[in-house]
């Protein structure tokens, strides 16, 4: 019998990283590795790091050090860093953190099994030298699809030819998605949640002055619709009820495939997949929103009228410094257009305060927008310099103490306003996907305006036992901060109302 090899994947950061981890899990399972949940039970602990901002990088380092501690008193023999921080810093991270037995970049994903086996056997795999991944793909989006470049979420190519799966579909272990197309990766789920993310694309062509992501994630390249559909069908077969479409910029989907409106065509097809109850689209750029896309998002059955809009600020001068577009009035007009078509539509966004050159009047303009926008969820971040970004070279920096004060001030306002928005929803009838049940909170789900992890939950009042994945209709009767409390009216698929169930 082959030697038993165990591996655990520890994932930090965004939903895109979660998809990458499941791609790595699929490759490893296909090559005979046993996936375990806890790093302490694994021969190799693989930490999928986040390299977005300083706080995320610190969390990644802490996770690597925590995993390294297991080598002294557990099964763990090796700790390996992958993901954005590993890709962004490569050798620099390896030198600064000798506790990591390997630092692997995206180019290593195609042979992740071999890389881990080398490290587990005591060998050394040289950490990669970071490079600007935007330069690896052609400038013209239309020429990128056939490029021989490692793209997490797009499988692997060598000299323009797809890397074949580890074996024919019938030879794959149970629970591993077969590659459904030449660019479709293997995938294995790392949990049993009724919601899963699916990548629409990788990379970004925008040049926001505060963001380093394009330099280590690369230029924008779409996945083919057939691959997205195939992966969604497989996830539905695994019991997934809600699909969340993720990328650095979903509004650009299809531009490199010759059709910038491809998302409008794809969404109804995804919603028609048997077993899928909800499709959610995240990461939308306000400047790229189209009337047709708004129509599909607000008028397609099973597509959530949910708008995760990347506003970042609303003062025109600050936005121009960020190399972004728009302003308070145009953003409010966009939200009004959406709510005219779907009054219950959900909207969320993130904002940066203390950006170089931000004045008190700029901050007041941002506060005016947030106050009038009626957003369901708001993330507020204080500006800090990021390596390799244009904004790091700006001279008109805001004093860190002032940044901290503005962060606290806008965060308090955001907390108050999102609680008010939740209160406005009292009396609405909402469609809720049950996520979990526990002794403390009872039955916990999410309405259409609530994405996983970020936007609050709906606590369901019911005497019925509702398993995760069940969709119910409920009436909102109260709110607790951004969370809702709702009474179940009926359970879909049973033909049973709550009153009849009693």
């Amino acid at each position: 019998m082959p030697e038993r090899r165990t591996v655990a994947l520890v994932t930090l950061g965004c939903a895109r990283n979660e998809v990458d981890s499941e791609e790595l899990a699929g490759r490893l399972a296909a090559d005979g590795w046993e996936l375990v949940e806890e790093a302490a039970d694994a021969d190799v602990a693989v930490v999928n790091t986040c390299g977005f901002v300083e706080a995320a990088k610190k969390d990644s380092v802490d996770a690597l050090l925590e995993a390294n501690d297991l080598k002294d008193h557990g099964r763990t023999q090796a700790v390996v860093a992958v993901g954005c921080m590993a890709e962004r810093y490569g050798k620099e991270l390896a030198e600064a953190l000798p506790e990591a037995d390997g630092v692997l970049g995206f180019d290593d994903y195609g042979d992740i099994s071999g890389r881990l086996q080398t490290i587990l056997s005591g060998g050394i795999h040289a950490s990669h030298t970071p490079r600007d991944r935007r330069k690896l793909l052609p400038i013209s989006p239309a020429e990128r699809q056939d490029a021989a470049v490692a793209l997490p979420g797009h499988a692997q190519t060598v000299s323009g030819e797809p890397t074949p799966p580890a074996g024919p579909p019938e030879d794959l272990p149970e629970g591993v998605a077969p590659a459904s197309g030449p660019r479709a990766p293997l995938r294995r789920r790392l949990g049993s949640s009724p919601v899963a993310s699916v990548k629409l694309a990788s990379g970004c062509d925008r040049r926001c002055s505060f963001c380093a992501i394009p330099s280590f994630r690369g230029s924008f390249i779409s996945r083919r619709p057939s691959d997205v559909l195939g992966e969604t069908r497989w996830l539905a077969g695994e019991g997934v009820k809600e699909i969340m479409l993720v990328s650095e910029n979903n509004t650009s989907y299809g531009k490199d495939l010759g059709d910038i409106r491809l998302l409008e065509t794809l969404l109804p097809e995804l919603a028609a997949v048997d077993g899928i109850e909800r499709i959610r689209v995240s990461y939308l750029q306000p400047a790229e929103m189209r009337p047709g896309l708004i129509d599909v998002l607000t008028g397609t059955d099973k597509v959530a009228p949910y708008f995760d809009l990347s506003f970042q600020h609303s003062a025109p001068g600050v936005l121009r410094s960020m190399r972004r577009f728009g302003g308070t009035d145009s953003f409010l007009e966009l939200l009004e257009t959406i709510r005219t078509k779907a009054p219950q539509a959900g909207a969320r966004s993130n904002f940066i305060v203390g950006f170089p050159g931000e004045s008190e009047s700029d901050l007041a303009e941002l506060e005016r927008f947030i106050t009038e926008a009626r957003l369901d969820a708001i993330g507020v971040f204080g500006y800090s310099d990021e390596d390799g970004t244009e904004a790091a070279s700006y001279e008109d920096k805001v004093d860190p103490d002032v940044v901290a004060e503005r962060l606290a001030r806008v965060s308090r306002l955001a907390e108050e306003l999102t609680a008010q928005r939740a209160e406005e929803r009292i009396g609405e009838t909402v469609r809720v996907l049950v996520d979990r049940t526990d002794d403390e909170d009872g039955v916990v789900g999410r309405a259409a305006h609530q994405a996983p992890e970020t936007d609050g939950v709906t606590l369901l009042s019911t005497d019925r036992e509702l398993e995760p994945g069940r969709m119910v209709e409920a009436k909102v009767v109260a709110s607790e901060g951004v969370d809702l409390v709702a009474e179940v009216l009926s359970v879909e698929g049973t033909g049973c109302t709550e009153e009849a169930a009693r």
Side-chain angles (χ1 to χ4, degrees), residues 268-402:
E269 295 183 67
L270 292 171
V273 171
D274 189 36
I276 296 298
E277 295 295 334
R278 179 184 288 159
I279 302 291
R280 185 184 303 278
V281 184
S282 59
Y283 305 111
L284 300 169
Q285 288 292 339
E288 297 180 31
M289 290 301 295
R290 306 175 290 276
L293 180 55
I294 294 174
D295 288 343
V296 172
L297 288 171
T298 56
T300 306
D301 186 39
K302 294 188 178 181
V303 174
Y306 174 80
F307 293 82
D308 176 13
L309 295 160
S310 179
F311 290 123
Q312 301 301 341
H313 212 283
S314 73
V318 175
L319 287 168
R320 301 304 173 266
S321 294
M322 290 178 168
R323 299 208 179 279
R324 298 178 65 82
F325 307 94
T328 298
D329 294 335
S330 63
F331 291 164
L332 291 173
E333 288 175 8
L334 172 60
L335 291 169
E336 178 62 25
T337 298
I338 291 167
R339 288 170 176 145
T340 297
K341 296 177 181 294
Q344 289 186 222
R348 77 167 324 276
S349 193
N350 294 323
F351 300 92
I352 298 172
V353 297
F355 192 78
E358 181 190 62
S359 65
E360 278 294 333
S361 62
D362 291 328
L363 190 68
E365 184 71 2
L366 174 60
E367 290 173 321
R368 178 172 81 87
F369 171 67
I370 293 176
T371 300
E372 296 182 28
R374 296 171 56 236
L375 299 172
D376 292 281
I378 298 172
V380 187
F381 301 89
Y383 172 82
S384 61
D385 287 339
E386 280 298 313
D387 298 335
T389 62
E390 180 184 352
S393 67
Y394 288 177
E395 295 182 355
D396 195 10
K397 299 286 174 60
V398 178
D399 183 272
D401 290 339
V402 176

Side-chain angles (χ1 to χ4, degrees), residues 113-133:
S113 176
R115 302 288 194 265
L116 296 191
Q117 185 59 59
T118 296
I119 294 168
L120 182 60
S121 301
I124 297 175
H125 179 72
S127 302
H128 77 107
T129 300
R131 49 186 174 166
D132 188 337
R133 295 192 74 86

Side-chain angles (χ1 to χ4, degrees), residues 230-303:
E231 190 168 318
T232 298
R233 292 188 184 106
W234 175 76
L235 288 166
E238 293 291 301
V240 170
K241 299 299 181 182
E242 177 178 324
I243 293 295
M244 186 163 71
L245 300 177
V246 299
S247 75
E248 279 73 19
N249 177 10
N250 282 335
T251 34
S252 283
Y253 179 69
K255 73 174 187 179
D256 51 321
L257 295 172
D259 185 0
I260 191 61
R261 295 176 176 80
L262 194 55
L263 184 55
E264 288 95 303
T265 304
L266 178 60
L267 283 171
E269 295 183 67
L270 292 171
V273 171
D274 189 36
I276 296 298
E277 295 295 334
R278 179 184 288 159
I279 302 291
R280 185 184 303 278
V281 184
S282 59
Y283 305 111
L284 300 169
Q285 288 292 339
E288 297 180 31
M289 290 301 295
R290 306 175 290 276
L293 180 55
I294 294 174
D295 288 343
V296 172
L297 288 171
T298 56
T300 306
D301 186 39
K302 294 188 178 181
V303 174

Side-chain angles (χ1 to χ4, degrees), residues 29-46:
D31 202 42
W33 289 78
E34 180 181 340
L35 278 296
V36 296
E37 290 187 13
E38 299 296 331
D41 299 328
D43 297 317
V44 183
V46 177

Side-chain angles (χ1 to χ4, degrees), residues 49-312:
T49 60
C50 178
F52 181 39
V53 293
E54 285 302 320
K57 287 183 277 189
K58 182 181 183 304
D59 289 343
S60 295
V61 170
D62 289 346
L64 287 163
L65 293 174
E66 183 178 339
N68 182 69
D69 290 342
L70 298 173
K71 291 191 288 187
D72 296 330
H73 49 76
R75 179 188 177 99
T76 308
Q77 300 173 53
V79 175
V80 175
V82 299
C84 291
M85 189 175 180
E87 173 63 38
R88 185 176 181 182
Y89 294 104
K91 289 182 178 180
E92 182 183 343
L93 177 62
E95 293 169 359
L97 198 70
E99 292 85 354
D101 299 287
V103 176
L104 305 181
F106 298 151
D107 293 330
D108 295 305
Y109 283 19
D111 187 27
I112 187 66
S113 176
R115 302 288 194 265
L116 296 191
Q117 185 59 59
T118 296
I119 294 168
L120 182 60
S121 301
I124 297 175
H125 179 72
S127 302
H128 77 107
T129 300
R131 49 186 174 166
D132 188 337
R133 295 192 74 86
R134 290 171 292 192
K135 298 179 180 179
L136 303 181
L137 289 165
I139 293 176
S140 170
E143 298 176 4
R144 294 175 187 165
Q145 285 289 325
D146 296 324
V149 176
L151 298 166
H154 297 65
Q156 192 89 353
T157 61
V158 179
S159 300
E161 295 298 323
T163 299
E170 60 269 20
D171 291 341
L172 292 174
E174 183 178 355
V176 175
S180 57
R183 272 290 204 176
L186 302 174
R187 181 171 179 174
R188 182 186 186 276
R189 297 212 70 202
L190 293 173
S192 58
S193 169
V195 60
S197 295
V198 172
K199 273 194 179 181
L200 273 184
S202 287
C204 186
D205 286 344
R206 299 182 71 88
R207 294 295 178 264
C208 301
S209 63
F210 56 83
C211 183
I213 289 175
S215 66
F216 57 85
R217 276 288 184 179
S219 297
F220 185 89
I221 181 167
S222 304
R223 293 184 66 197
R224 295 189 179 278
S226 57
D227 291 348
V228 177
L229 277 164
E231 190 168 318
T232 298
R233 292 188 184 106
W234 175 76
L235 288 166
E238 293 291 301
V240 170
K241 299 299 181 182
E242 177 178 324
I243 293 295
M244 186 163 71
L245 300 177
V246 299
S247 75
E248 279 73 19
N249 177 10
N250 282 335
T251 34
S252 283
Y253 179 69
K255 73 174 187 179
D256 51 321
L257 295 172
D259 185 0
I260 191 61
R261 295 176 176 80
L262 194 55
L263 184 55
E264 288 95 303
T265 304
L266 178 60
L267 283 171
E269 295 183 67
L270 292 171
V273 171
D274 189 36
I276 296 298
E277 295 295 334
R278 179 184 288 159
I279 302 291
R280 185 184 303 278
V281 184
S282 59
Y283 305 111
L284 300 169
Q285 288 292 339
E288 297 180 31
M289 290 301 295
R290 306 175 290 276
L293 180 55
I294 294 174
D295 288 343
V296 172
L297 288 171
T298 56
T300 306
D301 186 39
K302 294 188 178 181
V303 174
Y306 174 80
F307 293 82
D308 176 13
L309 295 160
S310 179
F311 290 123
Q312 301 301 341

Side-chain angles (χ1 to χ4, degrees), residues 451-462:
E453 307 295 336
T454 59
D455 300 343
V457 298
T458 298
L459 307 174
L460 292 171
S461 174
T462 179

Side-chain angles (χ1 to χ4, degrees), residues 428-432 460 472-476 486-490:
E428 290 184 357
T429 298
V430 292
R431 192 165 179 254
V432 179
L460 292 171
V472 305
E473 187 178 75
K475 182 177 181 179
V476 180
E487 294 180 348
V488 174
L489 301 176
S490 62

